[in-house]
Amino acid sequence: MLKSIIKREILSNLLSYRFSIMTVLSTTLTLASIFLMYRDYGLARENYEVLASEDAAAVIPPTPLSIFAKGLEENLCRAYALSLGERISASSKQQSVNDLFKLFTVPDLLYIIKVILSLCAMLFAFDMVSGEKEAGTLRQSLSGSLGRPILIVGKWIGGFTSFILPFFLAALLGAIFVSLQPKVAMGPQDWARLGLFLLSSVIYLAVFFSLGLLISCLTHESSSSLVVSLFAWTLLVFLIPNLGNILARQLVEVPTVQQLELTRRHIALSALMEVNRLPDWPERKTRLEQARSEQDQLTEDYRNRFARLVTLSQNITRVSPTAAFTFLATDLAGTGIAEERRLKQAVVQYLSERGDDQEPDRPRFSYQRTSCRVVLGRGGLGNFLILVLFDLLFIAATYVAFLRYDVR
Amino acid sequence: MWKPLKVIIAREFLHNLLNLRFTIGLVLCFMVTVACIIILSHDYRQELTDYSRRVNLHEEFLSKFAATEGISVFQMTPKEKPPERFRPLIIGIPGNDTQDSLDENPLTILFPHLDFLFIVTIVMSLLALLFSYDAVTKEREKGTLRQMISNSVSRTTILLGKFLGGAASLLLPFLLALLVGVLCINLNPNIQWDGSAWAEVGLLLAASLTFIASFYLLGLMVSTWSRSSAVAMLNCLFLWVLLVLVIPNVGPYVSAQLRRIPSIRETERREEEVKRACFETRQQRRKEFDEQFRGKYGRLFSQFEALGFGDQVDNRKKVEELAAADSQFKAMVDAFRSELARLGQEGRTAQNNALGELWADLNMKAAAQTRLAKSLAAVSPLADFVYVARDLTGTGLRSLKYFAESMQDYMFRFGKYVSGVEAEVKAAYKNDPTPEGGWPLDLRDHPRLVFREEPLKDKLGAALPYWGILGLFNVVFFAGAFAGFMRYDVR
């Protein structure tokens, strides 16, 4: 019985206009996004090769997974060096001079999935029950010996399968295209990460599909389901992640970067001016060391507060599956906040040890992105479980709601 | 015509008012707008305090350490733009001043900003489609459209009535929420808006209404070309995804592929190559020049060469002594120095020209790419509205450029003032030995950076073309809806 319901659901979806629109949208956007981001990766790779050939102080190559989830890749691939006053600065000069990039969002696969496909998932499911009720076919289906549990499970499986298949095929095609490119070298770790990224995408989309189905089981008209679904989507995808960040900033006060940089500069310059008026070298040395210690303390304080802000922000925004998925996907791709923090720590350590040493045989900066196992161990698994939990919650709620649904 | 039109408008308005979507729209608009404005106003206050602290640090530095020697007074000049006065409504684009900082905040990259632009471009555009996608199809499905047309009500009147009544019911929650938000801003003592700021708010509101109306008309148009509400809804959302989420974001990337430009780093590398090539050319020309003089002056030139051409302090005296003793030697030295200066000038000019061409080429290509990206994105009403809104409120790229020009002008005036004071102090103490660190400078009356927004006239001039495109979208969508409805089978 379950198999026939699933088959019926898949067939009726395949022949529907909705399926055609969603397939065209998901396939076109997935492939276009992968192509565009692959070209963008090519430019980043060229920039890296220029810097690596010049023996820049500390720079890492872009990861091929940034094609799928760009995240903080631009920040990660900057060249770091020591500037005046032993200050570590990051060169922004590999970035594009086209200022229009600042106005709009990066159209990587992560964006396509978390914003566009999540909407598509909800639109696929919002009238699966309420629409059938309006058409009168739900009453007919249940008037026989068909149980409600089997019907709703069959609807979920059949509906989700017909929704996810075009996206999955498009993503697979995109991955094959990327793997065939000579500029892209993906190792076994990268493939494992990509696999996990696609798996978490499927679970993320299942969350919104289940939510759409739940809303359909809680309303009696498809127009009402639509309105409520769009409201829920706007709330989960845009509002909660953003408001969460804003709320975190109100709870943890962190000075701006401009303030930090100016105060550091003020300490350094004040010390330099005072040092000129001191009579002998030991006193000057003490004053300079005092200034450096003040700067280090200020920077340490800023970085600790910022780390607390990031942790609090992540904890608050995880209430939204979109935020949990964003953190998971960027961590898996090696372009997340944790990776950025780890890289900065490695850069600080390397440059502090190297100092102004210009010897040609000094060890070059080398950095390995976090392994998959460590990513999962340090919060990745937690985000994954949050998505699974949302899924189970919405599926359970749908089940209960449908059992009590008035089909007349 | 007017009576039936008024009746249809009232009917459409009341029908929407009693619908669930109005309630949802009202709740969403209020919640987001008011929360946004309160939080952004609080952020604005913090940024103002932060900016004042930086200005005070600068004043403190100048009063303690400004001197004729030692650290340049320009080191501590705050170079950041003051917080935009429309920061409580729209988050501005960050400048490039802290991009080289190791501690730049990465959080804002992962999640887009929540501000007035978000409310209008995402929330209101979606609501507009939600209000209008079934304006015609639903009535056809219920059978009321057939009844309306069977009376002496023209299709034009019906369409116009649906547009005006529907749009009014859509804009009501938006305007109410905005009113409450603007009231909060007005009551905030930290936010002082003058007449021109309120005029800009008015223009921003007008632009927002144009944008929202375009999406309402898009929904209406799709409804007149569809037979069922389900199909109309899918088509509307498909178009919304394309126009709002895809086209604006893809534009810059497509333009980067079509008009490739080297990165700044790549151009710097070429710059170093040019400098190296110019240096080698100068070396070569110097060799030839030396050979020429050796050939012409023989022993005299060898003597001059042995003294290192008088470049070192010790040898310079000997060269002067020889020149005073031998008129031929003096003539040779004068000719040599004159030719060398000319050669040096030529070399520098050639290098500057080559570098100028290199950077001009990059800037030209960058401008072409940005123009292409802007044009590609302008196909979407969202991009047009973003350009208009940011230009009108001074929170966009144009404003950053304007600030950079103002900053350049201020640094020139500041530099001139400091040079004047330095010259006075040096003249006053010209007979006294300079102490270590130089003579202190009193810069209390130095010119302060007072950033004035670009005149409204200029902002409007920049925004009008894109506003015009938005207006064109309205006309096109209305024409499409009109054409669709005239041919619509109401049975």
Side-chain angles (χ1 to χ4, degrees), chain A residues 210-273:
Chain A
S210 309
L211 179 60
L213 194 57
L214 169 64
I215 292 169
S216 195
C217 293
L218 294 173
T219 51
H220 296 277
E221 282 178 10
S222 50
S223 56
S224 308
S225 311
L226 177 64
V227 169
V228 175
S229 296
L230 289 174
F231 175 70
W233 177 77
T234 313
L235 204 68
L236 291 175
V237 172
F238 292 108
L239 298 183
I240 294 177
N242 271 296
L243 287 174
N245 279 323
I246 293 170
L247 187 65
R249 277 193 291 119
Q250 311 309 314
L251 298 173
V252 178
E253 211 182 295
V254 179
T256 60
V257 174
Q258 291 97 322
Q259 179 70 20
L260 172 73
E261 290 296 330
L262 200 73
T263 313
R264 277 207 287 228
R265 216 183 316 159
H266 186 256
I267 292 170
L269 294 175
S270 306
L272 279 171
M273 293 302 288

Side-chain angles (χ1 to χ4, degrees), chain A residues 21-31 108-124 160 163-164 166-168 170-171 198 201-202 204-206 208-209 233 237 325, chain B residues 241 245:
Chain A
I21 289 269
M22 298 299 174
T23 305
V24 165
L25 204 58
S26 61
T27 313
T28 319
L29 291 180
T30 305
L31 292 174
D108 55 2
L109 190 61
L110 171 63
Y111 172 81
I112 303 289
I113 294 168
K114 85 176 179 187
V115 175
I116 301 174
L117 292 185
S118 60
L119 177 63
C120 293
M122 288 197 86
L123 293 180
F124 218 82
F160 188 65
F163 167 73
I164 205 71
F167 158 70
F168 202 73
L198 287 176
S201 307
V202 170
Y204 172 74
L205 292 173
F208 281 87
F209 184 86
W233 177 77
V237 172
F325 175 64
Chain B
V241 163
L245 300 180

Side-chain angles (χ1 to χ4, degrees), chain B residues 112-299:
Chain B
H113 291 303
L114 198 66
D115 59 3
F116 179 77
L117 282 186
F118 168 83
I119 293 164
V120 173
T121 56
I122 303 289
V123 176
M124 289 311 299
S125 63
L126 208 48
L127 276 177
L129 288 178
L130 215 57
F131 271 55
S132 62
Y133 81 93
D134 63 352
V136 172
T137 50
K138 188 87 176 188
E139 285 225 38
R140 188 195 72 83
E141 284 162 3
K142 284 194 320 196
T144 49
L145 190 63
R146 191 173 15 188
Q147 280 180 350
M148 230 193 305
I149 287 174
S150 63
N151 292 314
S152 57
V153 186
S154 72
R155 291 194 180 211
T156 313
T157 309
I158 294 171
L159 191 70
L160 211 52
K162 283 195 169 291
F163 168 56
L164 293 171
S169 59
L170 167 70
L171 294 172
L172 186 64
F174 172 66
L175 291 172
L176 280 173
L178 196 59
L179 195 66
V180 171
V182 163
L183 208 65
C184 293
I185 290 174
N186 207 18
L187 294 173
N188 191 326
N190 296 301
I191 303 169
Q192 307 288 333
W193 282 356
D194 58 10
S196 76
W198 287 109
E200 283 166 17
V201 170
L203 288 170
L204 180 64
L205 180 64
S208 308
L209 296 181
T210 316
F211 175 78
I212 296 168
S214 70
F215 274 87
Y216 190 89
L217 285 167
L218 175 65
L220 197 59
M221 182 183 78
V222 171
S223 194
T224 61
W225 286 93
S226 310
R227 296 292 294 163
S228 73
S229 302
V231 168
M233 183 271 300
L234 280 171
N235 289 338
C236 280
L237 286 167
F238 175 72
L239 287 170
W240 183 82
V241 163
L242 267 178
L243 293 175
V244 170
L245 300 180
V246 176
I247 292 173
N249 296 325
V250 155
Y253 287 86
V254 170
S255 73
Q257 299 304 321
L258 294 176
R259 288 248 163 94
R260 300 253 332 229
I261 51 171
S263 65
I264 298 176
R265 197 69 192 89
E266 173 66 28
T267 306
E268 278 182 352
R269 197 173 65 85
R270 283 190 206 167
E271 188 184 45
E272 278 154 33
E273 275 173 20
V274 163
K275 283 180 183 167
R276 211 176 309 132
C278 288
F279 176 74
E280 280 164 13
T281 308
R282 277 200 305 273
Q283 294 284 84
Q284 182 60 30
R285 289 195 68 186
R286 176 66 195 263
K287 256 192 209 166
E288 287 165 11
F289 170 73
D290 286 349
E291 279 307 312
Q292 197 188 340
F293 263 72
R294 193 171 289 115
K296 191 174 176 185
Y297 292 97
R299 187 188 55 85

Side-chain angles (χ1 to χ4, degrees), chain A residues 129-299:
Chain A
V129 171
S130 54
E132 275 216 36
K133 178 185 169 170
E134 280 176 326
T137 49
L138 190 65
R139 193 174 13 189
Q140 282 179 353
S141 304
L142 289 170
S143 64
S145 59
L146 181 63
R148 288 191 182 214
I150 294 184
L151 182 62
I152 195 66
V153 168
K155 277 193 166 300
W156 194 98
I157 297 173
F160 188 65
T161 307
S162 39
F163 167 73
I164 205 71
L165 216 54
F167 158 70
F168 202 73
L169 288 172
L172 210 61
L173 265 172
I176 292 170
F177 163 77
V178 163
S179 68
L180 291 174
Q181 301 312 307
K183 283 188 201 173
V184 179
M186 282 181 52
Q189 268 273 318
D190 294 326
W191 283 109
R193 287 166 186 267
L194 184 59
L196 283 171
F197 171 73
L198 287 176
L199 177 65
S200 54
S201 307
V202 170
I203 294 174
Y204 172 74
L205 292 173
V207 168
F208 281 87
F209 184 86
S210 309
L211 179 60
L213 194 57
L214 169 64
I215 292 169
S216 195
C217 293
L218 294 173
T219 51
H220 296 277
E221 282 178 10
S222 50
S223 56
S224 308
S225 311
L226 177 64
V227 169
V228 175
S229 296
L230 289 174
F231 175 70
W233 177 77
T234 313
L235 204 68
L236 291 175
V237 172
F238 292 108
L239 298 183
I240 294 177
N242 271 296
L243 287 174
N245 279 323
I246 293 170
L247 187 65
R249 277 193 291 119
Q250 311 309 314
L251 298 173
V252 178
E253 211 182 295
V254 179
T256 60
V257 174
Q258 291 97 322
Q259 179 70 20
L260 172 73
E261 290 296 330
L262 200 73
T263 313
R264 277 207 287 228
R265 216 183 316 159
H266 186 256
I267 292 170
L269 294 175
S270 306
L272 279 171
M273 293 302 288
E274 283 171 23
V275 142
N276 282 337
R277 296 169 192 174
L278 292 172
D280 53 16
W281 173 241
E283 285 187 37
R284 291 182 180 190
K285 192 175 167 200
T286 310
R287 182 63 188 94
L288 286 172
E289 277 169 7
Q290 190 191 351
R292 191 171 309 162
S293 158
E294 263 183 68
Q295 279 186 316
D296 289 345
Q297 212 173 334
L298 186 75
T299 309

Side-chain angles (χ1 to χ4, degrees), chain A residues 228-408:
Chain A
V228 175
S229 296
L230 289 174
F231 175 70
W233 177 77
T234 313
L235 204 68
L236 291 175
V237 172
F238 292 108
L239 298 183
I240 294 177
N242 271 296
L243 287 174
N245 279 323
I246 293 170
L247 187 65
R249 277 193 291 119
Q250 311 309 314
L251 298 173
V252 178
E253 211 182 295
V254 179
T256 60
V257 174
Q258 291 97 322
Q259 179 70 20
L260 172 73
E261 290 296 330
L262 200 73
T263 313
R264 277 207 287 228
R265 216 183 316 159
H266 186 256
I267 292 170
L269 294 175
S270 306
L272 279 171
M273 293 302 288
E274 283 171 23
V275 142
N276 282 337
R277 296 169 192 174
L278 292 172
D280 53 16
W281 173 241
E283 285 187 37
R284 291 182 180 190
K285 192 175 167 200
T286 310
R287 182 63 188 94
L288 286 172
E289 277 169 7
Q290 190 191 351
R292 191 171 309 162
S293 158
E294 263 183 68
Q295 279 186 316
D296 289 345
Q297 212 173 334
L298 186 75
T299 309
E300 187 72 26
D301 179 58
Y302 173 85
R303 286 179 187 161
N304 288 339
R305 280 173 187 248
F306 190 76
R308 278 206 307 276
L309 171 69
V310 167
T311 308
L312 182 64
S313 174
Q314 283 181 317
N315 289 338
I316 294 175
T317 55
R318 275 192 183 111
V319 167
S320 154
T322 303
F325 175 64
T326 305
F327 295 137
L328 175 62
T330 50
D331 283 344
L332 283 172
T335 57
I337 293 175
E339 193 73 57
E340 206 231 13
R341 203 184 315 167
R342 193 169 153 268
L343 173 68
K344 281 177 180 172
Q345 282 167 355
V347 163
V348 167
Q349 193 178 354
Y350 171 76
L351 290 175
S352 320
E353 282 166 10
R354 196 196 79 164
D356 281 333
D357 183 9
Q358 299 292 330
E359 289 301 308
D361 56 349
R362 68 178 186 277
R364 293 194 62 170
F365 178 71
S366 81
Y367 178 82
Q368 288 295 328
R369 297 201 193 220
T370 318
S371 70
C372 215
R373 190 186 292 183
V374 174
V375 162
L376 290 174
R378 280 194 202 157
L381 195 60
N383 287 322
F384 189 83
L385 289 175
I386 287 172
L387 288 177
V388 171
L389 195 67
F390 269 114
D391 243 329
L392 294 173
L393 188 69
F394 290 146
I395 290 171
T398 306
Y399 186 87
V400 168
F402 189 67
L403 289 181
R404 304 170 60 187
Y405 194 70
D406 184 356
V407 302
R408 294 167 296 173

